[in-house]
Amino acid sequence: MHVLVTGAAGMIGAKLARHLVADGRIGAREIARLTLHDVVDPPVPAGAGLPVETIAADIGDPATATRLVADRPDVIVHLAAIVSGEAEADFEKGYRINLDGGRALFEAVRAHGEGYRPRVVFASSVAVFGAPLPEPVPEDHALTPLTSYGTQKAICELLLADYTRRGILDGVGIRLPTICVRPGRPNKAASGFFSSIVREPLVGEEAVLPVSDDVRHWHASPRAAVGFLLHAAALDGAAIGPHRTLDMPGVAVTVGEQIEALRRVAGDAAVARIRREPDPAIARIIAGWPRAFAPTRALALGFRAEDSFDEIIRVHVEDELGGRIAG
């Protein structure tokens, strides 16, 4: 089969691409061809034993979507987006990329007709929910976003369900927890500090904490996120039913509990590298986000994540640091 990944230059997209090349299949189906898209040329995974095409183009341009589906990929994993903080700071760009880009992709699929109905995996977010919220958030809670980013993701969820209902595509949406610990350097996501306060101390660098220790949030590792996408791509659509987007499993912890997990894994010296510097703008955004979920449908369908934040840190140390922690 032919697999298309949009946003493949991003952290999760690049990890997914490496897995697809290494494994060569999704579920029981062999991958014959892989197309990787982003606004810049995505990296081609080393040792690729199958044809890999890269496309650098703006997903906000409708012509890009037409080009991406021209060869009728069987599976489309739609990750292309700008992050929460940037979407809030730049209203126009957020809607152009996160909403218009998604709809253009769905419309490009519809334009083919002739029985073309690919599996489309859409990466949504827990930001589609906003306070006040029950804890944990149940499966049937209404979409109540309090940010532009969350609104853009919520609209795409509704479009995904409707295009699936109409037989245009076979969509599965997954509401990703905050992915932690993200490797690399900080980005413009409002949630970026959740990773920074672990990532930087583990390599001997200082990290800034902009919120209080009692902030509670929902997390999963990059390794788990790739697993979610692969599982969603192979899932039987009939088992999902008409409600096409699922809350993914994760770990609910406070910032203080994150810090204590860091202490258990890396010691007091790592914790001492966290500097508290309150940022009211970030605190305001985070305060409206959900803190914990009851992802019963996803668990019943076989999605899995880590069981503790200690495990999330150890996954980062194993996958990104070669098992080494700074003294």
Side-chain angles (χ1 to χ4, degrees):
M1 62 180 169
H2 177 194
V3 178
L4 163 66
V5 180
T6 74
M11 182 272 293
I12 294 175
K15 285 181 174 289
L16 175 63
R18 289 195 294 270
H19 184 97
L20 293 172
V21 163
D23 199 47
R25 62 184 58 250
I26 291 178
R29 298 183 65 190
E30 185 175 340
I31 301 170
R33 178 182 169 194
L34 180 61
T35 300
L36 304 176
H37 155 270
D38 213 312
V39 70
V40 297
D41 267 320
V44 175
L50 53 86
V52 179
E53 178 186 11
T54 62
I55 296 175
D58 183 356
I59 195 68
D61 180 354
T64 297
T66 300
R67 179 182 176 190
L68 291 174
V69 302
D71 292 336
R72 299 163 68 101
D74 303 284
V75 173
I76 300 171
V77 181
H78 182 40
L79 299 171
I82 65 169
V83 295
S84 54
E86 189 174 5
E88 199 66 14
D90 192 332
F91 182 86
E92 182 178 347
K93 184 178 181 181
Y95 274 88
R96 186 175 64 83
I97 301 299
N98 294 347
L99 175 56
D100 297 344
R103 188 179 181 199
L105 189 65
F106 301 164
E107 276 294 291
V109 170
R110 186 172 75 92
H112 272 275
E114 300 175 358
Y116 176 51
R117 190 171 183 259
R119 165 56 55 87
V120 176
V121 179
F122 170 61
S124 189
S125 166
V126 297
V128 300
F129 302 109
L133 289 164
E135 190 172 327
V137 178
E139 287 282 358
D140 58 354
H141 194 77
L143 302 181
T144 55
L146 292 178
T147 62
S148 293
Y149 176 78
T151 300
Q152 292 146 16
K153 291 291 188 178
I155 296 170
C156 280
E157 285 189 15
L158 295 172
L159 291 173
L160 186 81
D162 197 40
Y163 279 61
T164 298
R165 180 183 66 85
R166 297 296 296 260
I168 296 165
L169 49 80
D170 180 14
V172 184
I174 59 172
R175 296 186 187 116
L176 293 173
T178 287
I179 301 305
C180 189
V181 178
R182 298 182 69 93
R185 304 307 301 173
N187 61 21
K188 296 181 180 180
S191 59
F193 71 88
F194 288 118
S195 288
S196 295
I197 63 171
V198 176
R199 180 183 60 231
E200 272 70 62
L202 286 173
V203 296
E205 297 178 5
E206 185 181 75
V208 173
L209 174 59
V211 301
S212 64
D213 285 24
D214 62 354
V215 167
R216 185 174 175 85
H217 200 57
W218 189 242
H219 301 280
S221 73
R223 184 191 293 179
V226 170
F228 297 157
L229 295 166
L230 292 167
H231 192 66
L235 201 59
D236 178 9
I240 302 168
H243 301 292
R244 304 301 294 191
T245 301
L246 302 157
D247 299 332
M248 290 295 99
V251 176
V253 291
T254 65
V255 167
E257 288 167 340
Q258 281 187 263
I259 292 171
E260 290 309 306
L262 177 64
R263 193 189 309 276
R264 287 190 293 271
V265 173
D268 292 340
V271 171
R273 298 183 184 114
I274 299 172
R275 174 167 55 86
R276 287 169 169 78
E277 188 177 294
D279 185 324
I282 290 178
R284 185 170 57 253
I285 292 173
I286 299 299
W289 288 357
R291 296 153 52 101
F293 286 83
T296 51
R297 288 178 63 217
L299 291 172
L301 289 167
F303 290 92
R304 294 292 180 267
E306 290 78 19
D307 293 321
S308 70
F309 201 81
D310 297 57
E311 185 181 354
I312 287 176
I313 296 176
R314 292 191 183 101
V315 165
H316 177 73
V317 172
E318 181 179 323
D319 288 357
E320 309 298 336
L321 304 181
R324 297 182 297 274
I325 298 172

